Amino acid sequence: MSGPLTVSLGERSYPILFGDDLVAGIRADVKELRAAGRPFAVLTDTNFQAAQASALAAMFGAAPVLAVAPGEGAKSLDGLGRVWDFLAEQRVNREGVLFAVGGGVIGDLGGFAAASWLRGIEFHQVPTTLLAMVDSSVGGKTGINITAGKNLVGAFHQPRKVTISTAMLATLPAREFAAGMAEVIKYGLLGDPELFADLEASPLQPGSASLADVIRRCCATKARCVEADERETAKEGGRALLNLGHTFGHAVENVAGYGQYLHGEAVAIGLCAAARLSQNLGYIGDSEVSRVEQVIAAHDLPTRLRVALPYAELHAAMTRDKKVRAGGLRFVVLKRLGEAATQSGVAPELVKTTFHDVGAS
Ligand SMILES: NC(=O)c1ccc[n+]([C@@H]2O[C@H](COP(=O)([O-])OP(=O)(O)OC[C@H]3O[C@@H](n4cnc5c(N)ncnc54)[C@H](O)[C@@H]3O)[C@@H](O)[C@H]2O)c1
């Protein structure tokens, strides 16, 4: 099994541990906290609680667990209030630790609760979806949604440790696994051509022997981007490269209505759009676009909108995206398969053509 990685951020550095079953390691962490008299609390959602009750018990014993309702709705002011109340009930002091055990929703919500509780306590990420393992549990972006938009309120708060135990994926629904694959394919496209070639040669399955290794490679790419540009302030490249496919994808999620597409499904369409835009800009050719579409389709993900959405609305949603900089839209494009770059100043006509290429009306 692959060894740990370190996200190197000076005093905020932390390890990412990988393994088939790391329940015993978490139990040891809990024992250490108890021995040191440090309070801790556990946040999860009711789906994971029901699906993996024995793993939860093995990790945390009889410790109190707050299980919120599953889904994006938990990442709300209401949900945040419930976590704060729970931390208060459990008398979690400044020495305390919050374990966020779940998908990206739980990681983002728990991370923001930890960032704000007593002005910041330690938190550990225990991701349980493929998306959370390869993406949201690493990098310290935390937050909640408000009526005005997704992820508009949040903080950079790095976890103290990330423990990735692939056995957690045994109960993940197939559609959620596929959604996580969109982010895996993204890493191949933006900085790991070998990974992309491996996915082309044989699609990754939940039971693939290489799963833990692939997750580790994705985390290594994410760690590199985060280390180079922790707060996404670089003028070119940096952490923004992780948004490959996301400018288009967020617009699709927003216009289709949240829930129509899983985040990863919208990102998959966004990756196809990014490939088309790169072609429209003359960086890659027809055959590269087809290769991107084939890998995405081979992982049970959409390459085009299922039902046409109006371009005008998609464009409006794009310009509302918080990642849009003063001075206009900034896209992440492919210079080749395995190398991405940020690109400003794209002609509006090209954006329109690109959206039509993936099925906008
Ligand atoms: N912070 C970041 O850098 C970052 C990056 C990408 C996405 N995100 C956020 O992540 C969220 C999406 O994350 P997600 O796709 O993991 O969604 P999610 O947390 O909603 O989990 C998906 C579904 O799987 C269920 N589930 C989780 N683990 C399970 C398991 N092991 N067995 C059975 N069911 C399980 C959940 O209950 C839920 O129904 C979004 O809110 C997005 O904004 C954050």
Side-chain angles (χ1 to χ4, degrees), residues 307-330:
V307 176
L309 296 171
Y311 165 72
E313 284 182 38
L314 290 164
H315 185 262
M318 227 178 206
T319 56
R320 283 196 303 270
D321 195 307
K322 74 176 185 310
K323 283 173 179 150
V324 171
R325 299 229 158 167
L329 285 167
R330 189 166 71 140

Short mmCIF file of all heavy atoms in Angstrom, two decimals, residues 307-330:
data_model
loop_
_atom_site.label_atom_id
_atom_site.label_comp_id
_atom_site.label_asym_id
_atom_site.label_seq_id
_atom_site.Cartn_x
_atom_site.Cartn_y
_atom_site.Cartn_z
N VAL A 307 -30.35 17.41 -21.21
CA VAL A 307 -31.43 18.19 -21.81
C VAL A 307 -30.84 19.56 -22.10
O VAL A 307 -30.13 20.11 -21.24
CB VAL A 307 -32.61 18.35 -20.81
CG1 VAL A 307 -33.71 19.22 -21.38
CG2 VAL A 307 -33.13 16.98 -20.39
N ALA A 308 -31.10 20.10 -23.29
CA ALA A 308 -30.49 21.39 -23.65
C ALA A 308 -30.84 22.47 -22.62
O ALA A 308 -31.97 22.51 -22.12
CB ALA A 308 -30.97 21.80 -25.04
N LEU A 309 -29.85 23.31 -22.30
CA LEU A 309 -30.10 24.47 -21.42
C LEU A 309 -29.79 25.72 -22.23
O LEU A 309 -28.89 25.70 -23.09
CB LEU A 309 -29.18 24.41 -20.20
CG LEU A 309 -29.36 23.22 -19.25
CD1 LEU A 309 -28.23 23.18 -18.22
CD2 LEU A 309 -30.71 23.31 -18.53
N PRO A 310 -30.54 26.82 -21.96
CA PRO A 310 -30.31 28.01 -22.78
C PRO A 310 -28.95 28.65 -22.53
O PRO A 310 -28.56 28.86 -21.37
CB PRO A 310 -31.44 28.97 -22.34
CG PRO A 310 -32.18 28.29 -21.24
CD PRO A 310 -31.59 26.98 -20.96
N TYR A 311 -28.26 28.95 -23.62
CA TYR A 311 -26.92 29.53 -23.51
C TYR A 311 -26.93 30.82 -22.69
O TYR A 311 -26.05 31.05 -21.86
CB TYR A 311 -26.31 29.79 -24.90
CG TYR A 311 -25.13 30.69 -24.80
CD1 TYR A 311 -23.93 30.21 -24.25
CD2 TYR A 311 -25.19 32.03 -25.18
CE1 TYR A 311 -22.84 31.04 -24.07
CE2 TYR A 311 -24.10 32.87 -25.01
CZ TYR A 311 -22.93 32.36 -24.46
OH TYR A 311 -21.86 33.19 -24.27
N ALA A 312 -27.95 31.66 -22.91
CA ALA A 312 -27.97 32.97 -22.23
C ALA A 312 -27.93 32.78 -20.71
O ALA A 312 -27.22 33.49 -19.99
CB ALA A 312 -29.21 33.76 -22.64
N GLU A 313 -28.67 31.77 -20.24
CA GLU A 313 -28.69 31.53 -18.78
C GLU A 313 -27.36 30.95 -18.29
O GLU A 313 -26.89 31.28 -17.20
CB GLU A 313 -29.83 30.57 -18.42
CG GLU A 313 -31.18 31.26 -18.44
CD GLU A 313 -32.31 30.31 -18.03
OE1 GLU A 313 -32.09 29.48 -17.14
OE2 GLU A 313 -33.38 30.41 -18.65
N LEU A 314 -26.79 30.08 -19.10
CA LEU A 314 -25.49 29.50 -18.71
C LEU A 314 -24.43 30.60 -18.63
O LEU A 314 -23.63 30.64 -17.70
CB LEU A 314 -25.07 28.43 -19.73
CG LEU A 314 -25.90 27.15 -19.71
CD1 LEU A 314 -25.69 26.32 -20.97
CD2 LEU A 314 -25.55 26.30 -18.47
N HIS A 315 -24.47 31.49 -19.59
CA HIS A 315 -23.49 32.58 -19.59
C HIS A 315 -23.69 33.49 -18.40
O HIS A 315 -22.73 33.87 -17.71
CB HIS A 315 -23.58 33.38 -20.91
CG HIS A 315 -22.51 34.41 -21.01
ND1 HIS A 315 -22.73 35.74 -20.70
CD2 HIS A 315 -21.19 34.31 -21.31
CE1 HIS A 315 -21.59 36.40 -20.83
NE2 HIS A 315 -20.65 35.56 -21.20
N ALA A 316 -24.94 33.79 -18.09
CA ALA A 316 -25.23 34.66 -16.94
C ALA A 316 -24.74 34.00 -15.65
O ALA A 316 -24.13 34.65 -14.79
CB ALA A 316 -26.72 34.95 -16.86
N ALA A 317 -24.97 32.68 -15.53
CA ALA A 317 -24.53 31.96 -14.32
C ALA A 317 -23.00 32.01 -14.21
O ALA A 317 -22.44 32.15 -13.13
CB ALA A 317 -25.02 30.52 -14.37
N MET A 318 -22.36 31.89 -15.34
CA MET A 318 -20.89 31.90 -15.35
C MET A 318 -20.35 33.23 -14.84
O MET A 318 -19.39 33.26 -14.07
CB MET A 318 -20.44 31.74 -16.80
CG MET A 318 -19.38 30.75 -16.99
SD MET A 318 -19.07 30.67 -18.75
CE MET A 318 -18.44 29.05 -18.80
N THR A 319 -20.95 34.29 -15.24
CA THR A 319 -20.43 35.61 -14.83
C THR A 319 -20.76 35.90 -13.36
O THR A 319 -20.14 36.76 -12.77
CB THR A 319 -20.97 36.74 -15.73
OG1 THR A 319 -22.39 36.68 -15.69
CG2 THR A 319 -20.51 36.60 -17.16
N ARG A 320 -21.70 35.15 -12.78
CA ARG A 320 -21.99 35.32 -11.34
C ARG A 320 -21.05 34.48 -10.49
O ARG A 320 -20.96 34.67 -9.29
CB ARG A 320 -23.42 34.85 -11.04
CG ARG A 320 -24.52 35.81 -11.44
CD ARG A 320 -25.83 35.44 -10.76
NE ARG A 320 -26.26 34.08 -11.02
CZ ARG A 320 -27.04 33.70 -12.02
NH1 ARG A 320 -27.48 34.60 -12.89
NH2 ARG A 320 -27.40 32.44 -12.17
N ASP A 321 -20.37 33.51 -11.10
CA ASP A 321 -19.51 32.60 -10.34
C ASP A 321 -18.48 33.40 -9.56
O ASP A 321 -17.86 34.31 -10.10
CB ASP A 321 -18.81 31.65 -11.34
CG ASP A 321 -18.18 30.45 -10.66
OD1 ASP A 321 -17.40 30.66 -9.72
OD2 ASP A 321 -18.46 29.31 -11.08
N LYS A 322 -18.25 32.99 -8.30
CA LYS A 322 -17.33 33.80 -7.48
C LYS A 322 -15.90 33.74 -7.98
O LYS A 322 -15.08 34.57 -7.64
CB LYS A 322 -17.41 33.40 -6.01
CG LYS A 322 -16.75 32.08 -5.65
CD LYS A 322 -16.82 31.89 -4.15
CE LYS A 322 -16.08 30.66 -3.67
NZ LYS A 322 -16.39 29.42 -4.37
N LYS A 323 -15.62 32.79 -8.83
CA LYS A 323 -14.24 32.68 -9.31
C LYS A 323 -13.96 33.63 -10.49
O LYS A 323 -12.84 33.71 -10.97
CB LYS A 323 -13.93 31.24 -9.68
CG LYS A 323 -13.70 30.45 -8.39
CD LYS A 323 -13.54 29.00 -8.56
CE LYS A 323 -13.30 28.39 -7.18
NZ LYS A 323 -13.80 27.04 -7.08
N VAL A 324 -15.00 34.31 -10.94
CA VAL A 324 -14.80 35.25 -12.04
C VAL A 324 -14.05 36.46 -11.50
O VAL A 324 -14.41 37.04 -10.49
CB VAL A 324 -16.15 35.69 -12.64
CG1 VAL A 324 -15.96 36.82 -13.62
CG2 VAL A 324 -16.81 34.50 -13.31
N ARG A 325 -12.97 36.80 -12.13
CA ARG A 325 -12.15 37.92 -11.66
C ARG A 325 -12.65 39.22 -12.25
O ARG A 325 -13.25 39.24 -13.31
CB ARG A 325 -10.72 37.73 -12.18
CG ARG A 325 -10.12 36.48 -11.67
CD ARG A 325 -8.80 36.80 -11.12
NE ARG A 325 -8.43 35.74 -10.19
CZ ARG A 325 -7.21 35.60 -9.72
NH1 ARG A 325 -6.28 36.43 -10.06
NH2 ARG A 325 -6.94 34.64 -8.89
N ALA A 326 -12.32 40.31 -11.58
CA ALA A 326 -12.56 41.62 -12.18
C ALA A 326 -11.80 41.58 -13.50
O ALA A 326 -10.69 41.08 -13.56
CB ALA A 326 -11.98 42.68 -11.27
N GLY A 327 -12.38 42.07 -14.55
CA GLY A 327 -11.66 42.04 -15.82
C GLY A 327 -12.09 40.87 -16.69
O GLY A 327 -11.61 40.70 -17.78
N GLY A 328 -13.01 40.05 -16.20
CA GLY A 328 -13.59 39.08 -17.11
C GLY A 328 -13.39 37.64 -16.72
O GLY A 328 -12.76 37.32 -15.73
N LEU A 329 -13.98 36.77 -17.54
CA LEU A 329 -13.93 35.34 -17.28
C LEU A 329 -12.52 34.80 -17.47
O LEU A 329 -11.81 35.22 -18.37
CB LEU A 329 -14.85 34.63 -18.28
CG LEU A 329 -16.35 34.72 -18.03
CD1 LEU A 329 -17.11 34.24 -19.26
CD2 LEU A 329 -16.73 33.89 -16.83
N ARG A 330 -12.16 33.89 -16.58
CA ARG A 330 -10.87 33.24 -16.74
C ARG A 330 -11.11 31.74 -16.80
O ARG A 330 -11.74 31.19 -15.92
CB ARG A 330 -9.97 33.59 -15.56
CG ARG A 330 -8.55 33.14 -15.76
CD ARG A 330 -7.62 33.77 -14.76
NE ARG A 330 -7.81 33.24 -13.43
CZ ARG A 330 -6.82 32.99 -12.58
NH1 ARG A 330 -5.58 33.25 -12.93
NH2 ARG A 330 -7.05 32.51 -11.39
#
